[in-house]
């Protein structure tokens, strides 16, 4: 969520519109199975392309709040490691009233977010580009580029372009995963030091992928379910 300027106290919550936009997806939007460590707070994203003839492809992404100790949310282990800029944005209270949803959003930043952890991707016309292997590689590279840039390219210019860390040929297509309780063929990226990725073809068309930080895998059961 990108915010700028001074918002009036009654400014509408953009998250409501984003959550509603998922209805545009021609196939069900997937998420990780409900579990105590994950909070789905309708942090959604939707990208699409097409023309006068309608959409040619769409991708929905879901972000989660991670609770390392869900039984005690006040436990300091649940706090995120924040940089100084983020910490100030949370702690500094401006002299004007803010929308309640913005205050809630800023407070949520105190806790680790599994950013765009799950993607559901649909293509009107299947192709090699829309294969599980290529879409999983794209998802992994997207997370690495946006969340691990400093680890991968220390001191680099944020605007620098880098070759993808993972290609479709590097994806293991002999993996298995679980969708709505059914064990199905899948594909995975289990070689990257920072993230683990897994995905599968959906029975009704489209592909689901998940990319998660390796440091948090012990807290998460990586199984998919249709998101309500």
């Amino acid at each position: 969520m990108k915010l700028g300027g001074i918002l009036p106290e009654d400014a509408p919550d953009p998250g409501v519109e984003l959550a509603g936009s998922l209805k545009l997806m021609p196939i069900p939007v997937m998420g990780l199975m409900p579990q105590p460590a994950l909070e789905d707070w309708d942090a959604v994203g939707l990208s699409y392309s097409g023309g006068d003839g309608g959409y040619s492809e769409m991708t929905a992404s879901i972000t989660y709040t991670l609770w390392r100790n869900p039984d005690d949310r006040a436990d300091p282990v649940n706090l995120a490691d924040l940089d100084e800029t983020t910490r100030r944005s949370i702690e500094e209270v401006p002299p004007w009233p803010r929308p309640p949803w913005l205050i809630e959003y800023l407070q949520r930043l105190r806790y680790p977010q599994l950013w765009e952890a799950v993607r559901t991707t649909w293509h009107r016309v299947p192709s090699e580009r829309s294969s599980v292997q290529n879409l999983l590689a794209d998802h992994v590279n997207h997370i690495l580029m946006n969340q691990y840039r400093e680890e991968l390219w220390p001191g680099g210019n944020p605007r620098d372009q880098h070759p993808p860390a993972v290609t479709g040929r590097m994806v293991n297509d002999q993996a298995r995963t679980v969708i709505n309780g059914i064990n199905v063929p899948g594909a995975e990226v289990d070689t990257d030091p920072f993230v683990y990725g897994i995905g599968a073809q959906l029975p009704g068309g489209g592909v689901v992928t998940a990319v998660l930080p390796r440091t948090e895998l012990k807290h998460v059961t990586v199984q998919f379910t249709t998101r309500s």
Side-chain angles (χ1 to χ4, degrees), residues 1-224:
M1 185 183 297
K2 295 182 180 179
L3 304 169
I6 298 176
L7 292 171
E9 189 176 10
D10 60 351
D13 182 353
V16 174
E17 181 179 353
L18 284 172
S21 68
L22 293 186
K23 296 177 182 178
L24 297 172
M25 282 288 289
I27 59 175
V29 176
M30 306 301 294
L32 292 172
M33 63 176 290
Q35 51 196 287
L38 297 182
E39 183 180 355
D40 182 346
W41 52 285
D42 278 338
V44 302
L46 185 68
S47 61
Y48 48 84
S49 63
D52 295 337
Y55 299 116
S56 58
E57 60 183 80
M58 301 183 77
T59 297
S61 60
I62 309 297
T63 294
Y64 296 88
T65 297
L66 175 70
W67 298 101
R68 299 185 181 111
N69 180 5
D71 295 328
D72 181 8
R73 291 192 173 187
D75 187 338
V77 74
N78 287 317
L79 295 174
D81 183 16
L82 303 176
D83 57 53
E84 189 57 33
T85 300
T86 303
R87 192 182 305 279
R88 282 201 308 269
S89 70
I90 295 171
E91 296 177 350
E92 292 181 358
V93 179
W96 55 81
R98 296 176 294 175
W101 58 263
L102 176 57
I103 297 172
E104 180 183 353
Y105 169 75
L106 292 172
Q107 292 305 312
R108 190 174 288 277
L109 294 181
R110 296 180 182 274
Y111 309 103
Q113 307 297 309
L114 301 182
W115 182 71
E116 297 195 5
V118 179
R119 279 182 171 182
T120 306
T121 304
W122 167 84
H123 286 80
R124 181 177 298 279
V125 180
S127 66
E128 181 181 358
R129 179 169 163 268
S130 65
S131 68
V132 177
Q133 290 80 5
N134 284 335
L135 291 176
L136 179 57
D138 286 346
H139 193 177
V140 169
N141 289 322
H142 177 69
I143 297 298
L144 290 175
M145 184 69 70
N146 287 278
Q147 301 289 297
Y148 297 91
R149 182 182 290 270
E150 185 59 33
E151 290 86 345
L152 288 168
W153 304 287
N157 188 324
R159 297 182 180 179
D160 287 346
Q161 298 296 313
H162 300 278
V166 176
T167 66
R169 294 180 179 180
M170 298 163 64
V171 175
N172 170 24
D173 62 0
Q174 300 300 308
R176 308 284 300 185
T177 189
V178 175
I179 299 178
N180 289 328
I182 300 173
N183 190 286
V184 298
E188 70 177 358
V189 173
D190 197 14
T191 54
D192 186 85
F194 301 112
V195 300
Y196 170 75
I198 191 162
Q201 191 79 36
L202 292 168
V207 168
V208 61
T209 56
V211 180
L212 301 163
R214 283 195 174 275
T215 55
E216 309 294 2
L217 282 176
K218 59 183 176 290
H219 302 293
V220 181
T221 299
V222 188
Q223 296 184 13
F224 299 105

